[in-house]
């Protein structure tokens, strides 16, 4: 029987980020979503990063954490496969903070292959 995920943990400091990375170490898959403020600015700014596994979820506040580079370990070629929907926007916003994803599954692309 699947385990119910816990309430999301807010990550708003370097210490929180280290704790989250320890918790996610060794995960093979991550659900990933980002939000920006593009409706209110000429150029969108990364405002939140949501990461989830089957049992845990996190909301990273990039406005509170200046250095997001430790996250790159999750996204490297030997890191987790990230599942996103319509990855184009997310990838662009993550790249503004120096983050690059290597292993992704885009559910919007999968839906188009299925004719949806």
């Amino acid at each position: 029987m699947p385990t119910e995920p816990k309430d999301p943990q807010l990550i708003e400091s370097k210490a929180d980020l280290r704790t989250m990375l320890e918790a996610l170490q060794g995960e093979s898959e991550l659900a990933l979503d980002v939000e920006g403020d593009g409706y209110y600015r000429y150029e969108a700014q990364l405002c939140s990063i949501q990461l989830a596994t089957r049992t845990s979820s996190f909301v990273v506040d990039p406005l509170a954490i200046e250095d997001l580079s430790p996250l790159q370990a999750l996204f490297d070629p030997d890191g987790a496969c990230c599942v996103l929907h319509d990855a184009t926007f997310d990838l662009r916003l993550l790249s503004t903070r120096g983050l690059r994803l290597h292993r992704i599954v885009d559910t919007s692309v999968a839906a188009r292959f299925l004719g949806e």
Side-chain angles (χ1 to χ4, degrees):
M1 175 174 285
T3 306
E4 288 294 319
K6 299 174 187 171
D7 288 337
Q9 297 175 48
L10 179 59
I11 308 301
E12 53 189 351
S13 70
K14 288 181 187 180
D16 292 342
L17 192 60
R18 278 192 300 273
T19 301
M20 180 192 78
L21 291 171
E22 289 172 10
L24 294 176
Q25 188 174 18
E27 289 288 341
S28 60
E29 298 173 334
L30 289 173
L32 172 66
D33 187 36
V34 306
E35 303 300 335
D37 62 354
Y39 289 119
Y40 306 104
R41 298 171 53 96
Y42 179 69
E43 290 185 36
Q45 175 176 252
L46 181 62
C47 293
S48 74
I49 303 170
Q50 298 121 62
L51 297 158
T53 67
R54 295 181 190 273
T55 59
S56 59
S57 59
F58 304 90
V59 177
V60 179
D61 181 352
L63 301 174
I65 303 171
E66 188 172 322
D67 181 14
L68 295 176
S69 64
L71 282 173
Q72 187 59 53
L74 292 175
F75 308 141
D76 281 342
D78 57 344
C81 180
C82 295
V83 179
L84 303 97
H85 183 78
D86 195 15
T88 306
F89 177 77
D90 296 20
L91 295 174
R92 184 170 47 85
L93 276 182
L94 289 167
S95 73
T96 66
R97 297 294 296 272
L99 299 171
R100 305 272 187 251
L101 275 66
H102 292 273
R103 299 178 57 218
I104 66 170
V105 172
D106 186 335
T107 58
S108 70
V109 172
R112 278 183 255 147
F113 274 115
L114 295 172
E116 298 293 324

